[in-house]
Amino acid sequence: MADLDIPTARQLVDGDWTPAADGGELPVLDPATRETIQSVARARAVDVDHAVAAARRAAPGWATTSPSERGAILSRWAALIGEHVEELAAYEARDVGKPRSGGRLNMYIAQGIVDYFAGAADKLTGVTLPTRTPDYFGYTRPEPYGVCAVIIPWNVPAVLTAANVAPALAAGNTVVLKPSEVAPLSPFALAELGRRAGLPPGVLNVVTGLGPEAGVALTGHADIDHISFVGSTVTGRSVMRAAAQHLVPVKLELGGKSPNVVFADADLDAAIPAIIASITENAGQNCYAGSRLLVEESIRAEVVERVAAGMAAIRTGPWDQDLDMGPLVSQAQYERVRGFLAEAPAAGARLVVGGEPATAAFDDGWYVAPTVFDQVDSDMRLAREEVFGPVLAVQGFRGVDEAVALMNGTDFGLLACIWTTDVSRALRVAGQARAGQVAVNQFHDAGVIGFPFNMQKESGFSRGGGYAALREYTQEKAVAVRLLDRPSA
Ligand code: NAD
C-alpha cells in the first residue's frame, strides 16, 4: 500500500491483509451521519486461531531479537506515526466522532508512547541477589510471556493500541490485538505503519470481530500466555473468568466514575475550564472522565453556574468541523446515555443545563448536549454508574471528611482530582483517595512523563503506563547457581 488506505473487509494476520475465513464483514459507521465508511473482516474463532498461530510462530524469533533492534524498530514506528498524524487523526476522529484536533492530539500521545517504549526496550534488567557464601550466584531475568492477547475498546483506540502493544513488543512478546468492532480503523492504520517500520510477520496481528465471537475466542484460547483487557467492568469480569480456564495472567483496565473535588479555597479560574473539559472531551467517553463534581457547599452555587455556562457554550458538530465536541459513538451508547437523562430528573436530580438528546441541526448523528445535574444523591444511578457521555453529576459537601467519603463513595477507583490551594490538605486527601491515580489542581496527569496508569477497586488492576508497563508484560525468572570447584588438572 502506497498510502494509508485500509483494505476493505480485511484483517492483519501474519503480515498480510487477509479476509475472514468465511468472508464475513462488519460495517464501520460515522457517528455523525450513521453512514457506513468502511467494512472490516468479521473474525471468528478460526481467524483467531490463525492469528494466534502466527504470533506463536513469530514468538521465539522476536524474543531473541536483540532488545536494541526491537527498540530501533519501535523507534521507526514512532517516526512513521509522526509522519502520518493527519491521516491517522482523520481515521480516528471520523470513526469515533471526536473533533479532528482531538484525534490529532491522540496521535501525538500514541507516538510519544511508542517512542517511550522504543527507548525502554534495551533498559529492562533483572537483579543480582545476595548469597549466603561466595559459592553461590543468584540473579533474576525478566522474560517475555510469549503471545499476548490485547483487547481494547473504541473510545481512544490509537492511544490504547500504543499503550499496550508497544510495551508488550518492547519486552519481546508477540501480540494478537482485537480492537473494538465499533472503531477499528486507527489501530489498523497504526499496525500497518508498524509493519512498514519492520515488525516481522506475525509479531503484531490485528483481528476485528465482535466481542462474543472474536473476543471470547481470544480470551479462551489455549495458546495465549497473557491477556490485557481494556473495557467495561462488566466485560472485564467475563474476561477474568475466561482467563481462569487456562490460568493465564490478566491485566484489567476498566470503567471509572472520577470525581473533581473542589474545596472553597480552590483556584476556580483554573478549575472551571478543566472540569468542563474533563466531561466534554471525547463527549465524556473517557474512562477517566470527570463525571462527578463534588464541591464545597459555600461555593457550590457559583461553581455550578460557571460550569453550566461553560457547558452551554460547547460547540458540537462532526469531526471535520473540528468544534469542541462530537456525537456519541453508536446507537447503543446513545440509548444508554438517554436512559440516564430520562431517569435522573425522575429520581430527584435538578437539571441545570442540557438534557437534550440532539439538536435539530444534527438529527442524523448521535448527539447529546453537554448536561449538568445538580442535587444528585449518592444513591442515584447517576452518582454511581459510568454514563460514558457528557453528563455531569454535582454533589455538595461540608468539610474534608464528607469530601473524602463522597470521593471514595463508588465502586470505581480510577482517578481522583483535588482542587485546593492548601498543599497540606491536598496531600492528605490524595493519601486517602481510593484511586489508582490522583491529580492535584489539574485534571489528569499533564506534565508528568511515564505516569503509571494505575487502577483500584472495580476499575481494575494494572500497572500500565511508563516503565511499570514493561514489567507488566514480562515474567520474572529467578536463577540460583552453585559454583562447583573445578577439578585441578
Ligand atoms: P466493552 O467492554 O463493551 O468492550 C471492550 C472490548 O471488549 C471490545 O473490543 C469488545 O469487542 C470486547 N468484548 C466484548 N465482550 C467480550 C467478551 N465477552 N470477551 C472478550 N472480549 C469482549 O467496552 P466498550 O463499550 O468498548 O468501551 C467502554 C468501556 O471501556 C468503558 O467502561 C470505559 O471506562 C472503558 N475504558 C477503560 C479504560 C482504562 O484504561 N481503564 C480506557 C478506555 C476505556
Side-chain angles (χ1 to χ4, degrees):
M1 288 190 301
D3 51 22
L4 254 189
D5 281 352
I6 295 168
T8 303
R10 294 289 193 276
Q11 55 197 345
L12 189 57
V13 175
D14 209 8
D16 280 328
W17 288 95
T18 56
D22 67 359
E25 327 182 355
L26 288 169
V28 179
L29 306 184
D30 178 341
T33 61
R34 309 185 196 207
E35 284 164 5
T36 300
I37 49 178
Q38 170 92 35
S39 88
V40 295
R42 177 175 181 165
R44 303 198 192 241
V46 61
D47 302 293
V48 170
D49 272 348
H50 291 155
V52 172
R56 176 62 64 201
R57 283 193 300 276
W62 185 245
T64 50
T65 298
S66 104
S68 307
E69 174 59 15
R70 291 200 298 260
I73 293 173
L74 290 182
S75 189
R76 284 199 291 277
W77 190 16
L80 284 175
I81 295 170
E83 287 166 25
H84 290 82
V85 163
E86 289 305 320
E87 292 149 277
L88 291 165
Y91 272 129
E92 175 143 332
R94 191 167 183 207
D95 207 356
V96 181
K98 59 185 73 172
R100 187 198 292 273
S101 50
R104 198 179 285 134
L105 177 65
N106 286 166
M107 296 316 137
Y108 286 124
I109 294 172
Q111 180 191 10
I113 293 171
V114 175
D115 213 23
Y116 180 94
F117 290 108
D122 61 1
K123 293 163 193 73
L124 185 59
T125 58
V127 295
T128 56
L129 300 163
T131 54
R132 290 202 174 80
T133 72
D135 303 326
Y136 295 91
F137 178 59
Y139 66 99
T140 65
R141 42 181 266 138
E143 296 184 345
Y145 280 100
V147 177
C148 293
V150 175
I151 299 180
I152 59 170
W154 43 262
N155 61 335
V156 275
V159 169
L160 292 174
T161 295
N164 288 283
V165 171
L169 296 184
N173 302 280
T174 58
V175 171
V176 178
L177 169 69
K178 195 204 89 60
S180 167
E181 58 279 16
V182 178
L185 301 183
S186 57
F188 262 155
L190 280 183
E192 168 60 20
L193 292 177
R195 193 169 77 129
R196 293 182 197 177
L199 290 176
V203 168
L204 172 57
N205 308 275
V206 188
V207 290
T208 41
L210 303 176
E213 295 176 359
V216 165
L218 189 54
T219 52
H221 203 287
D223 204 22
I224 287 291
D225 302 307
H226 181 277
I227 298 172
S228 176
F229 174 78
V230 188
S232 64
T233 298
V234 171
T235 312
R237 285 187 222 284
S238 312
V239 168
M240 202 162 166
R241 276 193 293 272
Q245 240 174 293
H246 302 290
L247 289 178
V248 173
V250 59
K251 161 168 105 70
L252 297 179
E253 297 181 7
L254 310 174
K257 192 75 191 174
S258 300
N260 276 292
V261 185
V262 186
F263 288 95
D265 66 348
D267 177 340
L268 293 185
D269 290 339
I272 302 282
I275 290 165
I276 295 165
S278 77
I279 190 62
T280 55
E281 183 195 289
N282 209 11
Q285 301 167 117
N286 284 331
C287 58
Y288 53 73
S291 53
R292 292 189 297 146
L293 170 57
L294 312 179
V295 54
E296 197 147 16
E297 283 292 355
S298 58
I299 56 163
R300 176 178 179 161
E302 180 193 353
V303 170
V304 170
E305 189 187 339
R306 289 176 65 179
V307 168
M311 297 277 273
I314 293 284
R315 298 161 308 154
T316 303
W319 71 280
D320 50 350
Q321 285 187 16
D322 203 14
L323 302 176
D324 305 317
M325 201 181 87
L328 299 180
V329 76
S330 65
Q331 178 82 34
Q333 197 56 29
Y334 183 65
E335 298 300 341
R336 178 181 162 75
V337 174
R338 285 183 67 181
F340 279 95
L341 296 180
E343 184 183 305
R350 182 175 76 86
L351 178 65
V352 184
V353 70
E356 299 296 324
T359 62
F362 300 119
D363 274 350
D364 288 339
W366 290 299
Y367 290 95
V368 168
T371 298
V372 178
F373 283 107
D374 195 5
Q375 290 161 13
V376 174
D377 193 86
S378 294
D379 294 335
M380 292 180 196
R381 236 161 49 89
L382 184 61
R384 291 181 287 107
E385 293 185 20
E386 192 176 43
V387 177
F388 235 49
V391 183
L392 183 63
V394 184
Q395 296 181 265
F397 66 81
R398 288 192 166 81
V400 174
D401 290 348
E402 201 180 340
V404 169
L406 281 178
M407 172 176 73
N408 292 334
T410 73
D411 293 333
F412 296 108
L414 206 160
L415 168 68
C417 303
I418 301 161
W419 297 89
T420 175
T421 47
D422 178 341
V423 71
S424 305
R425 177 159 58 190
L427 294 179
R428 281 206 189 90
V429 175
Q432 290 172 286
R434 293 199 60 204
Q437 302 163 51
V438 175
V440 175
N441 291 332
Q442 63 172 338
F443 180 70
H444 215 220
D445 57 359
V448 179
I449 296 168
F451 194 67
F453 210 71
N454 297 337
M455 320 274 150
Q456 292 186 10
K457 296 161 72 184
E458 292 194 8
S459 290
F461 39 86
S462 94
R463 287 170 181 270
Y467 189 77
L470 269 192
R471 295 264 177 230
E472 185 79 56
Y473 283 102
T474 52
Q475 48 194 342
E476 185 180 81
K477 179 178 283 173
V479 183
V481 183
R482 182 177 160 207
L483 309 180
L484 297 175
D485 284 339
R486 208 164 158 220
S488 44

